[in-house]
Amino acid sequence: MENKFKFLILICSSLFFFSCQTNPMTGRSQLIMYSSDKMLNLSEVQYANVLKESKISNSSQEKARLQRVGTRIAKAVDDYLKESRLENNFKWEFNLIEDKQVNAWCMPGGKIAFYSGILPITKDDAGMAVVMGHEIAHAVAEHGNERMSQAMLIKGSLMAAAIGIQTTDTVDDEMGQAILIGAGGLASVGIALPNSRTQELEADYMGLVFMAKAGYNPERAIAFWQDMSKAGSAEKPPEFLSTHPGDIRRIDEIKKYLPKAMYYYRQSPQFQELEIKQLAPKN
Ligand SMILES: [Zn+2]
């Protein structure tokens, strides 16, 4: 029993050391224990389930906006992955769900859903680009995988500690279950688990860069988060805030990221076109 305990500790610690990877955009090191194939498979199944159980919006105007904004940001992300020589396993899909929930998310592999309840807060293309950039950034940075990995490590450690106290032959089964994580639905791809503040700030930064590269003015993020925090003080706070815990620091941090994001925005073809129009002689 003693040896089994040591063996599990050894497995847990080596999993930890061999599962660290670095986010190339921010340099932060992360615990990633699930294979991307596993995450993509889970995501395919869960996304299909969500679509089956939901009512797809029939607002052609808003659906067109979602496609337009999504396609531009997806291209910026594809370009970024190519420039950084990173593997690209995104197969983009955008769906607008008719639902009062104030919510939006992106599953691993680029499976995106916006709920019509968030549209009064996003308001315009650039507002939608703030949320789209942020959600896609969570997927690019593999935050769902990271949260599931952290949960598994905690569960695995608790299990190892439990073996130290009691002898049981069912431990292997329990460990197996812990590794599979019995959680169903959106939790199984990590998107229903609350993001940590570190992940939130990282997604804010990366999201601003992606929206800027796609030619949307990243300054729009300030008004969006002000509107979201107003909605958060209502009697029933939006679902979006339960997975995206906000705090007063957020807007201050976004202001710090803006100069870098504005640099990318000015390089975008859309900005240059705007500038040429403004410089052109008026009648
Ligand atoms: Zn977030």
Side-chain angles (χ1 to χ4, degrees):
M1 198 263 312
E2 194 62 9
N3 281 340
K4 201 171 180 182
F5 179 57
K6 281 183 192 158
F7 179 67
L8 273 171
I9 293 285
L10 185 73
I11 290 191
C12 280
S13 50
S14 46
L15 270 176
F16 183 79
F17 287 114
F18 291 111
S19 311
C20 280
Q21 70 180 45
T22 306
N23 179 324
M25 205 190 267
T26 62
R28 184 173 72 88
S29 116
Q30 301 174 271
L31 177 70
I32 299 290
M33 290 165 115
Y34 291 87
S35 71
S36 51
D37 280 352
K38 167 94 182 157
M39 294 303 290
L40 291 173
N41 289 341
L42 283 173
S43 169
E44 291 270 342
V45 173
Q46 289 308 327
Y47 195 62
N49 280 345
V50 171
L51 295 184
K52 205 168 68 189
E53 289 161 11
S54 311
K55 185 176 181 288
I56 301 297
S57 165
N58 45 25
S59 157
S60 51
Q61 195 189 342
E62 291 302 335
K63 281 202 302 200
R65 190 198 302 281
L66 186 74
Q67 287 297 328
R68 182 166 67 236
V69 174
T71 307
R72 258 166 71 172
I73 295 192
K75 185 184 178 301
V77 172
D78 288 337
D79 290 348
Y80 157 75
L81 294 172
K82 198 173 170 191
E83 285 157 18
S84 314
R85 293 165 195 262
L86 295 167
E87 190 192 355
N88 184 346
N89 47 30
F90 284 87
K91 289 192 193 122
W92 303 102
E93 225 179 299
F94 311 94
N95 276 289
L96 183 60
I97 293 172
E98 190 61 51
D99 192 310
K100 281 199 281 275
Q101 275 192 51
V102 177
N103 209 359
W105 41 255
C106 172
M107 284 183 183
K111 306 296 180 202
I112 290 151
F114 270 61
Y115 292 72
S116 50
I118 203 169
L119 301 179
I121 302 179
T122 53
K123 292 182 182 125
D124 47 29
D125 281 28
M128 186 177 268
V130 174
V131 176
M132 184 78 76
H134 179 97
E135 290 309 315
I136 288 180
H138 277 308
V140 172
E142 296 186 74
H143 287 164
N145 193 331
E146 187 181 17
R147 287 197 299 284
M148 286 168 61
S149 302
Q150 287 161 344
M152 178 164 86
L153 192 76
I154 292 167
K155 207 166 177 182
S157 309
L158 289 175
M159 206 70 81
I163 300 162
I165 305 161
Q166 49 178 237
T167 314
T168 162
D169 290 332
T170 61
V171 157
D172 287 337
D173 281 352
E174 288 179 25
M175 190 69 186
Q177 277 172 17
I179 287 169
L180 284 170
I181 296 199
L186 301 178
S188 70
V189 279
I191 61 167
L193 307 172
N195 296 294
S196 69
R197 191 163 79 176
T198 306
Q199 290 180 334
E200 278 305 288
L201 294 179
E202 188 166 75
D204 280 341
Y205 172 70
M206 294 173 71
L208 290 177
V209 170
F210 293 145
M211 78 178 284
K213 280 175 177 264
Y216 295 106
N217 189 340
E219 289 170 329
R220 177 71 179 80
I222 306 279
F224 168 79
W225 283 107
Q226 281 167 345
D227 290 343
M228 186 52 86
S229 83
K230 264 184 236 156
S233 58
E235 211 173 294
K236 191 176 170 285
E239 292 76 7
F240 191 73
L241 290 178
S242 72
T243 47
H244 293 78
D247 57 59
I248 43 167
R249 258 186 63 199
R250 171 169 237 147
I251 292 174
D252 289 342
E253 292 295 323
I254 288 179
K255 284 180 184 161
K256 285 188 213 155
Y257 305 149
L258 275 177
K260 186 85 183 277
M262 287 303 284
Y263 165 82
Y264 290 113
Y265 176 50
R266 287 192 200 96
Q267 317 261 314
S268 71
Q270 289 83 0
F271 178 83
Q272 309 211 350
E273 203 177 297
L274 205 71
E275 234 186 8
I276 291 167
K277 268 188 202 156
Q278 277 165 359
L279 287 173
K282 310 267 183 312
N283 297 327

